[in-house]
Structures are given as C-alpha cells and as structure tokens.
Amino acid sequence: MRWLSFCFFFNDTAPTDIYTLSHTTLFRSPWNDDDGKGHGDDGAPDRHRDSLDLSLCTDPDTDTTAPEISYSAECTIPGNNGWCIGEVQIVWTVEDAESEVSNSSGCEDISVNYDTTGVSFTCEATSEGGTNSVTTEEFKIDSTAPVTLFDSQTPEANENGWNNSAVDVNFSCSDETSGVLTDSVIVSLTEEGAEQSATAQCEDSAGNTSDATVSGINIDLTAPTFGGIEDSYLLDQPVDVSCDDSLSGIATCDATLDTENPGTNTSSISASDLAGNEASLDLTYQVFYELACNDGDDGFSSPLDNSNYNIGRTIPMKFDACNYYGDIVENVVATAFIDDQEATTKGKSNDGNLFRYSEDSQQYIYNADTTGYSVGDYTLYAYLDDGQTISETVEFTEKSKKK
C-alpha cells in the first residue's frame, strides 16, 4: 500500500482535520476528542488546536536536490586513433539553484599536458540537497614524437668505406606511449655517388612523427676503365696504359704491356677500385720496327721508286730498322719478293730470299737478280717479321745493244 501524507495549515478558528489518503479511501481522524463525544476531560466542548505535528511536513524552502555537475573537454591538437597530441583542457560547471555548494573536490578547471595512455577526472560537490559526482571520459594523450634511430646498412661498407652494390639503410622506430605503426623503416639507395644520405620517418599511433638522417654512404657501381691503349707500338716503346676510376679511385692497376717482341702480341691487364669493382681486358697489339730511323724514309733506301733497271741486272734492296729509341735492330727477319715470286740472288751474298744485315752500312740488304724477267713494271717487296711490308715499283727494261 502506498501512503501519501498531506499537511494543512490553518488558523485557530477553522477546524481542520488531518487526512491520510490510501488508494481512494479517505479516513478522518478526530482531533483531540477526549470522550468521543466532542468533549474534553473537563466536559467542555473540544476546541480545535492551532498546532499540528509537523514531523511529516516539509518546508517549501528546503533544498532536496544535490548540485548539478557538467564539464566540457577540448583537445587542442587532435591526433589519430582517439589520441590527443596537444593538451586536454577540462572546464567544470557546478550549479545548485536552491542552496549553496558547501564542499567540492576535483572541480577545478585543468589543462592536462602530460602523456598518458588513459586518464579520467572526477568532480564531487555537496549542498544541502546532497552530494553528486561526475567522472569524465578517459583521455589518451601522446604529444611526444617517436624515436627514429639509424640501425645499420646492408651490406656494410668495405674497409675503404665504399660499397659496390645498392645499399639498404635500416632504421628502428620506438614510442613509449601510443606505440609505433612499424618497428623499422628501410631506405634503399640504388644510385652510385659519394657522401650520400638516407632519411627515414617513423610515426606513432597518435600521429606524431620524427625523422633521422644518416650520411656518408659511398656507392660505386662502375668498374675501372683503361686509357692509352693503342693498336700498335714501336719496338721497346714504353707504354703508359692508365687505370682510371672517377668515383672511388683506383686501388690496384696491373696494365703493363710488353713491347720487346716484334709482331703480334697478346696481354691481359686488370684493375680494381676502392669499392671492390674489378676490370680486366685481353689485348692484341702489334709491335713494329721503326723504319725511318736513319734517312727519315720508311721505305727502301734503294732502289728509288719508279727507277729503271735493265733485265739481268742485280737490284740492291735496302732498308733500315730501329727500335723506339733509334737504336739499330740487328736481328730483323725479312724476305724479298718480286711481285708474288720469291726473289733470287747471284752468288752467296744472301741466303735464299732472306735479307742480310750489313754492319758497315747498318742496313738490311738483298741483291735481287732480274735475270729471266720480261720487260715491264714490277713491285719489289720486303716482308718483315713484325708484319710490315716495304714495297717499291720499278721498271725492268731491255738492255741496250751497243752499236
């Protein structure tokens, strides 16, 4: 059963009863009826009293409601994934329209400027109407950038500080509060160059970023090259073959060519640079005699071009041969031909069609016999063992008859 109590206020002349309402039945209680007949103990008619038991009555001016509490919260710099990367500013509002707030705790405005994975705040206030408390939502704050650190490079540089391949530069990422999106970052350097740098950026879950740069990375992808190589050289000529590398520089150079042997020569040269790139080259080259060492003519000194010789006459074929320094070479092997026929000689001045060396004239000589040839133009040849050929064209004529 639910009971409702009503309190009636009256003056001393208006009879008033207190009624208690139970559902729809109203019960009347007589007030100060001592004898049950409307008379008191003295036999006089009862008088209604002007006072009531007000223990169940409430003063209309009494506060029965606790303070109202509300707050506003603002993140100065919103981040990602529910994080704040600035400050969180909380403003409390505590109100009670019926009575004064007599006590409060945690209700001061506050700026939260430290990193936290989750924090909330409670405001509690008390008035005559009671005590009320409100707790904020949880705030996550990370205003600190993650840490980006250079870890290593793959592959490591060699002892000279160079790489001869692409380099992966490895960075590590860490963050104590919101955590990083990835634990590591790899920056690949694929182009060659000296003093290169690599920069990586790490990001945490809140959206903070930080960069780190490492420099001094040297990459040389190109092998050395060779310079000063010719197809032919003179006998005993010093050869200055260079090993060149424009980036890391030359570490080793083995590029000596031998010019002591006339004719066709082969040689292998090699080089390496400071990055470890290697180059090698197999060469084929010719080594020649200097044929213009005495008279400045690299042909026959005798006979002269377009000379006329009577058939049956011996033609002296002569040439010079020196080395690079102008020194006479005494061991040249040369053969004599007239057109495409091996030349012959009279007597024993020459062996077969081989030129001989004359110490007196310091020349190579072959005395060619013209007996048996017909009138006409012929080309005289000297085939040298260094691969060179000396030639002159002459005319064979009929010997004039004496009258």
Side-chain angles (χ1 to χ4, degrees):
M1 178 178 293
R2 186 174 181 184
W3 294 88
L4 296 177
S5 298
F6 294 86
C7 190
F8 300 90
F9 294 88
F10 51 89
N11 56 32
D12 59 355
T13 58
T16 305
D17 294 327
I18 295 178
Y19 295 89
T20 300
L21 183 63
S22 175
H23 292 287
T24 58
T25 303
L26 188 62
F27 297 89
R28 181 178 182 275
S29 299
W31 183 17
N32 200 25
D33 187 4
D34 296 334
D35 59 3
K37 297 180 180 180
H39 296 83
D41 293 339
D42 55 1
D46 291 333
R47 290 180 58 87
H48 294 283
R49 300 175 181 175
D50 58 359
S51 61
L52 294 172
D53 182 1
L54 301 181
S55 60
L56 299 179
C57 296
T58 302
D59 187 341
D61 294 329
T62 300
D63 184 359
T64 61
T65 304
E68 294 183 358
I69 302 175
S70 62
Y71 72 92
S72 63
E74 179 186 6
C75 171
T76 57
I77 307 176
N80 299 334
N81 304 308
W83 287 85
C84 179
I85 60 176
E87 294 184 352
V88 173
Q89 297 175 347
I90 302 173
V91 177
W92 291 100
T93 300
V94 180
E95 296 178 332
D96 194 313
E98 299 176 348
S99 65
E100 183 179 352
V101 175
S102 59
N103 188 30
S104 64
S105 174
C107 301
E108 300 82 7
D109 295 344
I110 185 173
S111 292
V112 187
N113 56 7
Y114 54 86
D115 290 353
T116 175
T117 57
V119 64
S120 59
F121 299 89
T122 298
C123 169
E124 182 177 280
T126 302
S127 68
E128 292 182 3
T131 299
N132 187 19
S133 66
V134 171
T135 299
T136 66
E137 62 190 281
E138 190 174 69
F139 303 105
K140 299 187 299 181
I141 303 173
D142 185 358
S143 58
T144 304
V147 177
T148 305
L149 294 176
F150 166 69
D151 187 13
S152 63
Q153 72 172 59
T154 307
E156 294 290 338
N158 66 11
E159 60 184 3
N160 300 313
W162 283 88
N163 289 86
N164 60 4
S165 64
V167 173
D168 286 339
V169 186
N170 307 300
F171 296 85
S172 63
C173 304
S174 61
D175 187 86
E176 294 184 354
T177 307
S178 62
V180 291
L181 298 183
T182 181
D183 293 333
S184 62
V185 176
I186 299 176
V187 179
S188 296
L189 299 178
T190 59
E191 301 294 329
E192 64 179 8
E195 293 296 324
Q196 297 188 66
S197 61
T199 299
Q201 183 178 88
C202 294
E203 182 177 357
D204 62 22
S205 295
N208 300 296
T209 61
S210 68
D211 297 342
T213 299
V214 60
S215 58
I217 300 173
N218 303 309
I219 301 175
D220 185 355
L221 305 176
T222 305
T225 57
F226 302 100
I229 298 175
E230 303 292 343
D231 293 333
S232 64
Y233 303 94
L234 292 177
L235 184 68
D236 298 328
Q237 177 180 346
V239 178
D240 185 20
V241 174
S242 63
C243 301
D244 305 309
D245 191 273
S246 60
L247 192 50
S248 62
I250 292 295
T252 63
C253 179
D254 183 9
T256 301
L257 296 184
D258 181 11
T259 59
E260 295 180 354
N261 300 304
T264 301
N265 286 256
T266 59
S267 182
S268 296
I269 59 177
S270 62
S272 64
D273 60 24
L274 293 174
N277 298 298
E278 297 179 346
S280 62
L281 190 61
D282 294 328
L283 298 176
T284 300
Y285 57 97
Q286 299 297 126
V287 175
F288 296 128
Y289 305 114
E290 173 60 77
L291 301 180
C293 52
N294 286 332
D295 56 9
D297 188 355
D298 60 359
F300 287 119
S301 59
S302 172
L304 299 177
D305 195 24
N306 296 318
S307 298
N308 296 324
Y309 292 91
N310 292 332
I311 296 173
R313 180 181 172 181
T314 296
I315 302 176
M317 301 168 63
K318 301 179 180 180
F319 69 87
D320 304 320
C322 302
N323 67 6
Y324 173 79
Y325 297 103
D327 301 325
I328 298 298
V329 179
E330 300 180 3
N331 57 351
V332 176
V333 177
T335 56
F337 279 76
I338 299 176
D339 282 348
D340 57 355
Q341 300 294 317
E342 292 185 4
T344 59
T345 186
K346 293 179 180 180
K348 298 181 179 180
S349 59
N350 293 97
D351 182 9
N353 70 332
L354 292 175
F355 280 81
R356 65 180 174 84
Y357 176 69
S358 171
E359 292 184 356
D360 293 336
S361 63
Q362 295 185 327
Q363 287 184 311
Y364 288 87
I365 301 173
Y366 188 85
N367 294 319
D369 183 13
T370 61
T371 301
Y373 285 89
S374 302
V375 173
D377 292 335
Y378 292 87
T379 300
L380 307 181
Y381 293 98
Y383 294 106
L384 282 64
D385 59 346
D386 68 349
Q388 295 187 89
T389 300
I390 304 172
S391 65
E392 295 287 358
T393 299
V394 296
E395 181 182 4
F396 289 179
T397 60
E398 189 71 42
K399 184 179 180 180
S400 299
K401 295 182 179 179
K402 293 183 179 180
K403 295 181 179 179

Coordinates of all heavy atoms in Angstrom, one line a residue, residues 295 297 300-309 315-316 380 391-395:
D295 N 117.4 7.7 -92.5 CA 117.2 8.7 -93.6 C 115.8 9.4 -93.5 O 115.5 10.2 -94.4 CB 117.5 8.1 -95.0 CG 116.6 6.9 -95.2 OD1 115.7 6.6 -94.4 OD2 116.8 6.2 -96.3
D297 N 113.1 8.0 -94.2 CA 112.2 7.3 -95.2 C 111.9 5.9 -94.6 O 112.8 5.2 -94.3 CB 112.8 7.3 -96.5 CG 111.9 6.8 -97.6 OD1 110.8 6.4 -97.3 OD2 112.3 6.8 -98.8
F300 N 112.2 1.7 -98.9 CA 113.5 1.2 -99.3 C 114.4 2.5 -99.5 O 114.0 3.5 -100.0 CB 113.5 0.5 -100.7 CG 112.9 -0.9 -100.5 CD1 111.8 -1.3 -101.2 CD2 113.6 -1.9 -99.8 CE1 111.3 -2.6 -101.2 CE2 113.0 -3.2 -99.7 CZ 111.9 -3.5 -100.4
S301 N 115.6 2.4 -99.0 CA 116.5 3.4 -99.3 C 117.1 3.2 -100.7 O 117.7 4.1 -101.3 CB 117.7 3.5 -98.3 OG 118.4 2.2 -98.2
S302 N 117.0 2.0 -101.2 CA 117.4 1.7 -102.5 C 116.6 0.4 -102.9 O 116.5 -0.5 -102.0 CB 118.9 1.4 -102.6 OG 119.3 0.9 -103.9
P303 N 116.0 0.3 -104.0 CA 116.0 1.3 -105.1 C 115.0 2.4 -104.9 O 114.1 2.3 -104.0 CB 115.6 0.4 -106.3 CG 114.7 -0.6 -105.7 CD 115.3 -0.9 -104.4
L304 N 115.1 3.4 -105.7 CA 114.2 4.5 -105.6 C 113.0 4.1 -106.4 O 113.0 3.4 -107.4 CB 114.8 5.8 -106.2 CG 116.0 6.3 -105.4 CD1 116.6 7.5 -106.1 CD2 115.7 6.6 -104.0
D305 N 111.8 4.7 -106.0 CA 110.6 4.4 -106.7 C 110.6 4.8 -108.1 O 111.2 5.9 -108.5 CB 109.4 5.1 -106.0 CG 108.1 4.5 -106.4 OD1 108.1 3.4 -106.8 OD2 107.1 5.2 -106.2
N306 N 110.0 4.0 -109.0 CA 109.9 4.3 -110.4 C 111.3 4.3 -111.1 O 111.5 4.9 -112.2 CB 109.2 5.6 -110.7 CG 107.8 5.5 -110.3 OD1 107.1 4.5 -110.5 ND2 107.3 6.6 -109.7
S307 N 112.3 3.6 -110.5 CA 113.6 3.5 -111.2 C 113.5 2.5 -112.4 O 112.7 1.6 -112.4 CB 114.6 3.1 -110.2 OG 114.8 4.1 -109.2
N308 N 114.5 2.6 -113.3 CA 114.5 1.7 -114.4 C 115.8 0.8 -114.2 O 116.9 1.3 -113.9 CB 114.6 2.4 -115.7 CG 113.4 3.3 -116.0 OD1 112.3 2.8 -115.7 ND2 113.6 4.4 -116.6
Y309 N 115.6 -0.5 -114.5 CA 116.7 -1.4 -114.4 C 116.6 -2.4 -115.6 O 115.6 -2.9 -115.9 CB 116.6 -2.3 -113.1 CG 116.8 -1.4 -111.8 CD1 115.7 -0.8 -111.2 CD2 118.0 -1.3 -111.3 CE1 115.9 -0.1 -110.1 CE2 118.2 -0.5 -110.2 CZ 117.2 0.1 -109.5 OH 117.3 0.9 -108.4
I315 N 119.5 -5.8 -108.5 CA 119.0 -4.6 -107.8 C 119.2 -4.7 -106.3 O 118.7 -5.7 -105.7 CB 117.4 -4.5 -108.1 CG1 117.2 -4.5 -109.6 CG2 116.8 -3.3 -107.4 CD1 115.7 -4.5 -109.9
P316 N 119.9 -3.8 -105.8 CA 120.1 -3.8 -104.3 C 118.9 -3.2 -103.6 O 118.5 -2.1 -103.8 CB 121.3 -2.9 -104.1 CG 121.3 -1.9 -105.2 CD 120.7 -2.7 -106.4
L380 N 108.8 -4.6 -106.0 CA 109.7 -5.3 -105.1 C 109.2 -5.2 -103.7 O 108.8 -4.1 -103.2 CB 111.1 -4.6 -105.2 CG 111.7 -4.4 -106.6 CD1 113.1 -3.8 -106.5 CD2 111.8 -5.8 -107.3
S391 N 107.6 -1.8 -100.0 CA 107.4 -2.0 -101.4 C 107.8 -0.8 -102.3 O 107.7 0.3 -101.8 CB 106.0 -2.4 -101.7 OG 105.1 -1.4 -101.5
E392 N 108.4 -1.1 -103.4 CA 108.7 -0.1 -104.4 C 108.4 -0.7 -105.8 O 108.6 -1.9 -106.1 CB 110.2 0.3 -104.4 CG 110.6 1.0 -103.1 CD 110.1 2.4 -103.0 OE1 109.4 2.9 -103.9 OE2 110.4 3.0 -102.0
T393 N 107.9 0.1 -106.7 CA 107.6 -0.3 -108.1 C 108.7 0.2 -109.0 O 109.0 1.4 -109.0 CB 106.3 0.2 -108.6 OG1 105.2 -0.3 -107.7 CG2 106.0 -0.2 -110.0
V394 N 109.3 -0.7 -109.8 CA 110.3 -0.3 -110.7 C 110.0 -0.9 -112.1 O 109.1 -1.7 -112.2 CB 111.7 -0.9 -110.2 CG1 112.1 -0.3 -108.9 CG2 111.7 -2.4 -110.1
E395 N 110.8 -0.4 -113.1 CA 110.6 -0.9 -114.4 C 111.8 -1.7 -114.9 O 112.9 -1.3 -114.7 CB 110.4 0.3 -115.4 CG 110.1 -0.2 -116.8 CD 109.9 1.0 -117.7 OE1 110.1 2.2 -117.3 OE2 109.7 0.8 -118.9

